């Protein structure tokens, strides 16, 4: 599910959808078999400052602009993958921002575009991340990002958050020139970890990424921070929880 800024501000809302009430213990695999976690970027990194800056720069238009920007970014990534015309996440994000502004008839100055893009290099981890990652590390669980984000973007976010030394080399989709949910992207986890599918938990932030990872064959945990509704794509995650401590419990750390 593509989440808008208003959804992110409702992270502590009392209403929880049916997807969110699936217990993190409900899984088919024994946690003792889990040896690694492949993370999408945003279970770790908090993207809300991007949406806050959009609203700050364009008061009253931020929610709509952010939603249009994000939706078009994913569409461009998927279209470029399907069409064999790959551009990296930074480029498709910038192109989508320009499109969104034009679609809303907003005068987006080059310096405004650059400032919004720079925000991605200033992002930090969610508050619950470091303790959970330490639990996983102490339990001997290997970890890496398996993300559409570029390696420089991931490097900046790791540095901003003081998470150096916790992750193995980034598995950016730039390596295979195909965005998730293309199977080539998920295959990177098997190749990098040298493990079987059932030994690697994929930690997703978005419902569509849950589906992609399940289609590929990974045990999948949905870090459903926004209490979003599960997608109607014929699969469900093996576990769901609103934070990274829930993921650590699921893995057995």
């Amino acid at each position: 599910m593509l989440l808008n800024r208003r959804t992110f501000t409702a992270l502590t809302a009392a209403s929880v959808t049916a997807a969110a009430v699936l217990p993190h213990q409900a899984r088919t695999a024994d946690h003792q078999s889990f040896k690694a976690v492949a993370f999408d970027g945003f279970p770790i990194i908090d993207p809300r400052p991007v949406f806050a800056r959009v609203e700050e720069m364009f008061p009253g238009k931020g929610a709509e602009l952010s939603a249009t920007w994000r939706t078009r970014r994913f569409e461009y990534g998927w279209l470029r993958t399907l069409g064999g015309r790959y551009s990296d996440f930074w480029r498709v994000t910038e192109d989508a921002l320009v499109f969104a502004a034009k679609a809303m008839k907003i005068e987006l100055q080059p310096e405004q575009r650059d400032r919004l893009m720079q925000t991605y290099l200033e992002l930090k981890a969610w508050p619950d991340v470091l303790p959970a990652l330490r639990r996983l590390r102490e339990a001997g669980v290997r970890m890496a990002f398996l993300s559409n984000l570029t390696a420089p973007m991931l490097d900046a976010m790791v540095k901003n958050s003081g998470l150096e030394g916790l992750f193995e080399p980034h598995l950016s989709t730039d390596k295979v020139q195909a965005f998730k949910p293309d199977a080539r992207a998920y295959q990177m986890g098997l190749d990098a970890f040298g493990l079987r599918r059932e030994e690697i938990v994929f930690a997703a932030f978005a419902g569509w990424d849950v589906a992609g990872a399940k289609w590929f064959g990974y045990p999948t945990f949905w870090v459903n921070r926004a209490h979003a509704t599960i997608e109607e794509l014929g699969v469900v995650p093996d576990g769901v929880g609103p934070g990274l401590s829930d993921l650590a419990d699921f893995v057995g750390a």
Side-chain angles (χ1 to χ4, degrees):
M1 181 176 181
L2 302 179
L3 309 178
N4 60 31
R5 179 175 176 271
R6 182 174 298 173
T7 303
F8 279 109
T9 64
L11 292 176
T12 57
S15 60
V16 178
T17 66
V21 300
L22 289 173
H24 59 69
Q25 294 89 354
R27 58 184 184 272
T28 57
D30 183 344
H31 71 258
Q32 296 295 333
S33 68
F34 297 149
K35 298 180 180 179
V37 178
F39 287 94
D40 177 48
F42 293 116
I44 301 292
I45 304 301
D46 181 356
R48 292 176 296 176
V50 176
F51 312 131
R53 181 151 287 155
V54 174
E55 178 62 28
E56 175 187 314
M57 293 174 67
F58 302 102
K61 299 179 180 180
E64 182 179 358
L65 180 57
S66 292
T68 304
W69 179 15
R70 185 177 46 260
T71 299
R72 188 61 58 165
R73 179 184 66 196
F74 283 110
E75 290 172 348
Y76 279 173
W78 294 331
L79 286 169
R80 284 187 170 278
T81 297
L82 288 169
R85 296 292 187 270
Y86 185 84
S87 288
D88 69 22
F89 190 83
W90 184 271
R91 173 63 186 275
V92 299
T93 298
E94 186 172 52
D95 289 347
L97 172 59
V98 172
F99 171 87
K102 288 180 178 179
M104 291 183 61
K105 296 180 171 50
I106 291 173
E107 293 279 343
L108 181 69
Q109 301 301 319
E111 59 272 18
Q112 292 174 312
R113 178 200 63 206
D114 294 345
R115 186 70 190 98
L116 287 172
M117 291 297 299
Q118 178 65 26
T119 309
Y120 275 98
L121 301 179
E122 300 168 358
L123 297 179
K124 297 180 180 180
W126 297 88
D128 66 341
V129 162
L130 186 55
L133 293 184
R134 284 176 173 163
R135 282 179 60 193
L136 291 166
R137 182 68 176 271
E138 289 168 2
V141 177
R142 299 167 62 188
M143 297 177 286
F145 283 106
L146 198 166
S147 173
N148 287 340
L149 299 172
T150 67
M153 294 172 77
L154 292 168
D155 283 339
M157 296 170 183
V158 167
K159 183 177 180 180
N160 296 343
S161 307
L163 302 179
E164 296 95 332
L166 292 172
F167 296 99
E168 297 187 18
H170 305 318
L171 305 176
S172 168
T173 51
D174 290 348
K175 292 180 178 290
V176 293
Q177 304 283 284
F179 289 110
K180 294 180 295 178
D182 191 288
R184 289 170 290 177
Y186 297 113
Q187 178 66 37
M188 291 190 295
L190 299 182
D191 296 339
F193 288 126
L195 299 170
R196 301 188 304 274
R197 279 176 171 82
E198 59 268 25
E199 296 176 316
I200 303 169
V201 175
F202 184 81
F205 180 75
W208 64 263
D209 208 8
V210 169
K214 285 294 294 180
W215 290 337
F216 185 75
Y218 284 131
T220 303
F221 189 90
W222 188 8
V223 185
N224 188 8
R225 295 189 181 275
H227 302 305
T229 303
I230 196 166
E231 299 289 351
E232 293 295 330
L233 290 170
V235 291
V236 296
D238 297 287
V240 179
L244 227 62
S245 63
D246 302 297
L247 168 65
D249 291 342
F250 174 81
V251 172

